[in-house]
Amino acid sequence: MTDYAIKTEDLTFWYTPEEGQEPRKVLEDVNIGIEKGRFTCILGHNGSGKSTLARHFNALNLPRGGTVYAFGMDTKDEALTLDIRRALGMVFQNPDNQIVSNVVEEDVAFAPENLGIPQKEIRERVDEALRTVGMYEFRTHAPHLLSGGQKQRIAIAGVLAMRPECVVFDEATAMLDPRGRADVMDIIRRLRAGGVTVVLITHHMDEAVSADRIIVMDKGRCVLAGTPRDIFSYPEELKSLGLTVPDTVKLINGLDKSGFNIRKDAITISECAEAVAAAITDPVPVSHREPEKETPEGEPVLSVQDLTYTYSKNTPFELTAVRNISFDVRRGEVIALLGHTGSGKSTLIQHLNGLIKPSSGKILLSGEDINSSKDSLRRARSRVGLVFQYPEYQLFEETVYKDIAFGPKNQKLSDGEIDKRVRDAARFVGIGEELFEASPFELSGGQKRRIAIAGVIAMMPEVLILDEPMAGLDPAGRDEIMRNLLAYRDETGAALIIVTHSMEDAAMFATRMIVLSHGEKIMDGLPSEVFAREEELESVGLTVPAATKIARELVKRGLPLGGTYYTVDYLMRSVLRLKGGDGNAS
Amino acid sequence: MLRDITLGQYFPGDTLIHRLDPRTKILVVILYIIALFISTSYVTYAIMASLLIAEVTIARIKFSTLLKSVRPILFIIVLTVVLNAFYTPGEPIFSFWIFTLTREGLRTALFMAARLVLLVMSSFMLTYTTSPIMLTDGLESLLSPLKRLGAPVHELAMMMSIALRFIPTLIEETQKIMSAQKARGAEFDTGSIIDKARALLPILVPLFISSFRRADELAVAMESRCYHGGEGRTKLHELKFRGIDYAALAIMALALVSVIVLRNVGAVGIGGIDS
């Protein structure tokens, strides 16, 4: 008999509907078992019910039908609630909204304090938890001065201080940069090695790869369950569920379809390279560069000249956020702006439409200094559009239409022109006109995001800058936003500057990449040029796409594969060439 | 710009004053304020001022920082001084139009100003040298007898510490929302007062919505960490009176007694003018 940390039996749940409305089932007959000591991943698109499911594990929500057992305790038994929550800790998405105190160690002590643990033991638990997440040196710091990744580690420590037997991470990596995510994944591995049951709810397929078991949710039901190998052998099903498979699996499945005789159970980078190498007996040398996306020529529309910005000048807090940065932006370019947290990306992009005035240097828009007069600044605001991170948090109007119209109205356009702009912008982001009179707050997260982007597109900017436009969305949502943005570029010839943490995304869309580190521009070039400098990227807290890593592993295994690869498609074509004409051998 | 607000600012340190129990510091400030209000002579004000100077020196807080704390109420001080100086009846020194400066007035004005300045500075010294969390802990502990009367003392203290925790977060968020709306062409500093008020909507609505969302998420996170009210809670930092706390309280009590004894020494006071 298997020993379960969490077990649900015919779990059904709905939120109390508004009067006169039928309840909508968020969860329906969910029967899952999460084994003790294992690492289980729960996947599912936005709105599939996975977070609601997690909230049943520690009695935050109680089943309307069926039963949930946490370590054998029925969550409906109120007398057991505290025991359940102690045994089953939960970490949430937004680190800011989990931290109670403005001193790190006081925050970590919060749960043991609630449990009435004696003072001396609280001290031990707090120190132990902070050491586990590698934040002991920060114990007397104020949380609001830490990075997102560090804050999330504090939140995890706050849960570990309860010494739980199981920790549930509810999209706890969604808001973090690659370094922060890697740190959390590292903590998860250590917890599992220490015998703690781990449940991770995520959109990132590469995180699911290291799980012992995957559960896939769709429309409130558990639709697939099995090992990562089992689950990722259903790429078509995953796609129809708004998910995807890791790039390794994509490559192997693609090769398999092209008649390659290859082992199909490889999911990690090295397994994948091993499988590919094993399938090629007599390699033909290949040295093809991945074709660059068309790089637009012409006069620069935006030109950044020797930009430097210093915060809190002449105070003890003085900090130079960007230093001597210069680059030109041409129409039709798609620039991926990369850099770790604190590299100066946000400060840089806020200069481009004049929200921040440079300490020295200039920003020229069609040759005119945007800070030279009030009028040129106003022009810059509408010609250079800036979409902040999580733009849906800035929606404020009663209707979708009015919210999108806010920008054009501020541009003092005629009513007719405003109307046209709103309709065009909505079309670009795939928002139907039937939603125009709806309240933006009633819509789904993905829809809100697109409406907020439409609010900036409606100003018809010639340069559209977006800070992590895909953050927190599921794979289908990410693809959709990217398609929308590229359509805007194709139709209007605008330049796009996209700040992103995802190298795979950057590899897919960028015609050019700019890398910042500690406020300085350290790379600026074609994707192939930037990705070829893998070690340097890693030294500044970035990484390279999975395809680049697989290619490197193949070269290590002695395959004559030249050039730099960064998309799975092109790597696959080159691997097929490696194999030579005889597709049947091996 | 919003970052410059020094609401309850705390300057971390490890001096004798920093290490005092927060309850001691709160009690001392209360006694100090009482002493200020019964202080009516040059001698007593000198005692009060030297106490503050001693505290500031031990706590290694810069006097310039402390002077800044008075700036917001400078207007009130000037007004008090002017009114008292010119409208107190007594022996005239100088007269101009309807204003008559009297010896008594000058003296009263000086005392009033000293009282206000010392009052503000001593209160600020409390927040400068006590972390907000210690301050709330101290208040909760001092008010705990009221729990028996059914007052929600723990809940109030918890609310206060959460509010303090979220002030920087909300300031940052406000700035971000302002920038985002500016990027959409919003202007906050032009037009009539009504225009300006209306221009605040695109900031306030998202800010409110986000605060509710944060409150909701925080409540869930707190419940997940077994929060169930103040009952049976223990503390990482238990408050404990030590030798220096008793010493500090004794010094303050001594000062209070001397103020009471010496209040009529030297000359007439503000309260009782026996001319």
Coordinates of all heavy atoms in Angstrom, one line a residue, chain A residues 24 61 93 142 162 177 179 195 198 225 230 267 270 290 295 314 337 340 386 389 401 409 465 470-471 513 526 564 579:
Chain A
R24 N -20.4 27.5 -10.7 CA -19.5 26.9 -11.7 C -18.4 26.1 -11.0 O -17.7 26.5 -10.1 CB -18.8 28.0 -12.5 CG -18.2 27.6 -13.8 CD -17.5 28.8 -14.5 NE -16.5 29.4 -13.7 CZ -15.2 28.9 -13.6 NH1 -14.9 27.8 -14.4 NH2 -14.3 29.4 -12.9
N61 N -9.3 26.0 1.5 CA -10.6 25.8 0.9 C -11.1 24.4 1.4 O -10.2 23.5 1.6 CB -10.6 25.7 -0.6 CG -10.4 27.1 -1.2 OD1 -10.6 28.1 -0.5 ND2 -10.1 27.2 -2.5
Q93 N 2.9 32.7 -4.8 CA 3.5 33.3 -6.0 C 4.2 34.6 -5.7 O 5.4 34.8 -6.0 CB 2.4 33.6 -7.0 CG 3.0 34.2 -8.3 CD 1.9 34.3 -9.4 OE1 0.8 34.0 -9.2 NE2 2.3 34.7 -10.6
A142 N 15.9 44.5 6.3 CA 14.5 44.8 6.0 C 14.1 44.1 4.7 O 14.8 44.3 3.7 CB 14.3 46.3 5.9
M162 N 8.3 25.9 10.4 CA 7.3 25.1 11.0 C 7.7 23.6 11.0 O 7.0 22.7 11.6 CB 6.0 25.1 10.3 CG 5.4 26.5 10.2 SD 3.6 26.5 9.7 CE 3.8 26.1 7.9
D177 N 13.4 35.9 -11.4 CA 14.3 35.8 -12.6 C 15.0 34.5 -12.6 O 14.9 33.7 -11.6 CB 15.3 37.0 -12.5 CG 16.2 37.0 -11.4 OD1 16.1 36.1 -10.5 OD2 17.1 37.8 -11.3
R179 N 17.9 33.4 -12.0 CA 18.8 33.1 -10.8 C 17.9 32.8 -9.6 O 18.1 31.8 -8.9 CB 19.6 34.3 -10.4 CG 20.8 33.9 -9.6 CD 21.7 35.1 -9.4 NE 22.8 35.2 -10.4 CZ 23.6 36.3 -10.4 NH1 23.5 37.3 -9.6 NH2 24.5 36.3 -11.4
G195 N 14.0 14.2 2.6 CA 12.8 13.4 2.9 C 11.5 14.1 3.0 O 10.5 13.6 3.4
V198 N 7.4 17.3 -1.7 CA 7.4 18.6 -2.3 C 6.3 18.5 -3.4 O 6.3 17.6 -4.2 CB 8.7 19.0 -2.9 CG1 8.6 20.3 -3.6 CG2 9.8 19.1 -1.8
A225 N -1.7 11.8 -15.4 CA -0.8 11.7 -14.2 C 0.2 10.6 -14.6 O -0.1 9.6 -15.2 CB -1.6 11.3 -13.0
D230 N 6.4 9.6 -19.0 CA 5.1 9.3 -19.5 C 4.4 10.5 -20.1 O 3.9 10.5 -21.2 CB 4.2 8.7 -18.4 CG 4.7 7.4 -17.8 OD1 5.5 6.8 -18.5 OD2 4.4 7.1 -16.6
I267 N 14.8 13.0 -21.4 CA 14.2 14.4 -21.1 C 15.2 15.4 -20.6 O 15.0 16.6 -20.8 CB 13.0 14.3 -20.1 CG1 13.3 13.5 -18.9 CG2 11.7 13.8 -20.8 CD1 12.2 13.5 -17.8
S270 N 21.4 16.1 -21.0 CA 22.5 15.1 -21.3 C 21.9 13.8 -21.8 O 22.4 13.2 -22.7 CB 23.4 14.9 -20.1 OG 22.6 14.4 -19.0
E290 N 22.9 29.2 -38.0 CA 21.5 29.4 -38.0 C 21.2 30.7 -38.7 O 21.8 31.7 -38.5 CB 21.0 29.5 -36.5 CG 19.5 29.5 -36.4 CD 19.0 28.8 -35.1 OE1 19.8 28.1 -34.5 OE2 17.9 28.9 -34.9
T295 N 17.5 41.6 -40.5 CA 17.9 42.8 -39.7 C 17.6 44.1 -40.5 O 18.2 44.3 -41.5 CB 19.4 42.8 -39.3 OG1 19.8 41.4 -39.3 CG2 19.6 43.4 -38.0
N314 N 24.8 62.6 -4.6 CA 25.3 63.4 -3.5 C 24.7 63.0 -2.2 O 24.6 63.8 -1.3 CB 25.2 64.9 -3.7 CG 25.9 65.3 -5.0 OD1 26.9 64.8 -5.3 ND2 25.3 66.3 -5.7
L337 N 16.1 42.7 -24.6 CA 17.0 43.4 -23.6 C 17.1 42.4 -22.4 O 16.1 42.1 -21.8 CB 16.3 44.7 -23.2 CG 17.1 45.5 -22.2 CD1 18.5 45.9 -22.8 CD2 16.4 46.8 -21.9
H340 N 20.4 40.4 -15.5 CA 19.9 39.9 -14.2 C 19.1 41.0 -13.5 O 19.2 42.2 -13.9 CB 21.1 39.4 -13.4 CG 22.1 40.5 -13.2 ND1 22.0 41.4 -12.2 CD2 23.2 40.7 -13.9 CE1 23.1 42.2 -12.3 NE2 23.8 41.8 -13.3
L386 N 5.5 52.5 -23.6 CA 6.2 51.7 -22.6 C 5.2 50.9 -21.8 O 4.3 51.5 -21.2 CB 7.0 52.6 -21.6 CG 7.7 52.0 -20.4 CD1 8.6 50.8 -20.9 CD2 8.5 53.0 -19.7
Q389 N 5.9 46.0 -16.3 CA 5.7 44.6 -15.9 C 4.3 44.5 -15.2 O 3.9 45.4 -14.5 CB 6.8 44.2 -14.8 CG 7.2 42.8 -14.9 CD 8.3 42.5 -14.0 OE1 8.9 43.4 -13.4 NE2 8.7 41.3 -13.9
Y401 N -13.3 49.3 -23.1 CA -13.1 50.3 -24.1 C -12.5 51.6 -23.6 O -11.6 52.2 -24.1 CB -14.5 50.6 -24.7 CG -14.5 51.6 -25.9 CD1 -14.5 51.2 -27.2 CD2 -14.5 53.0 -25.6 CE1 -14.4 52.1 -28.2 CE2 -14.5 53.9 -26.7 CZ -14.5 53.5 -28.0 OH -14.4 54.4 -29.0
K409 N -6.9 59.5 -25.6 CA -7.6 60.6 -25.1 C -6.5 61.6 -24.5 O -6.7 62.9 -24.8 CB -8.5 60.2 -23.9 CG -9.9 60.3 -24.3 CD -10.8 60.2 -23.1 CE -12.2 59.9 -23.6 NZ -12.9 59.0 -22.7
I465 N 8.1 49.4 -26.1 CA 8.9 48.7 -25.1 C 8.1 48.0 -24.1 O 7.1 48.5 -23.6 CB 9.8 49.8 -24.4 CG1 10.5 50.7 -25.4 CG2 10.8 49.1 -23.4 CD1 11.0 52.0 -24.7
M470 N 5.4 38.6 -20.9 CA 4.9 37.2 -20.8 C 4.9 36.6 -19.4 O 4.5 35.5 -19.2 CB 5.6 36.3 -21.8 CG 5.1 36.4 -23.2 SD 6.2 37.5 -24.2 CE 7.5 36.4 -24.6
A471 N 5.4 37.4 -18.4 CA 5.6 36.9 -17.1 C 4.4 36.3 -16.5 O 3.3 36.9 -16.6 CB 6.2 38.0 -16.2
M513 N 20.1 41.4 -29.8 CA 20.0 41.2 -28.4 C 21.0 42.2 -27.7 O 22.1 42.4 -28.2 CB 20.4 39.8 -28.0 CG 19.4 38.8 -28.6 SD 19.9 37.1 -28.3 CE 19.6 36.9 -26.6
L526 N 23.7 40.1 -32.9 CA 22.8 39.1 -33.4 C 22.7 38.0 -32.4 O 23.6 37.7 -31.6 CB 23.3 38.5 -34.7 CG 23.5 39.6 -35.8 CD1 24.2 38.9 -37.0 CD2 22.1 40.1 -36.3
T564 N 26.6 28.0 -34.1 CA 25.9 28.2 -32.8 C 24.4 28.0 -33.1 O 23.9 28.4 -34.1 CB 26.0 29.7 -32.4 OG1 27.4 30.0 -32.3 CG2 25.4 29.9 -31.0
K579 N 23.4 13.2 -39.9 CA 23.2 11.8 -40.1 C 23.5 11.4 -41.5 O 23.6 10.3 -41.9 CB 21.8 11.5 -39.7 CG 21.3 10.1 -40.0 CD 20.9 9.5 -38.7 CE 20.4 8.1 -39.0 NZ 20.5 7.2 -37.9

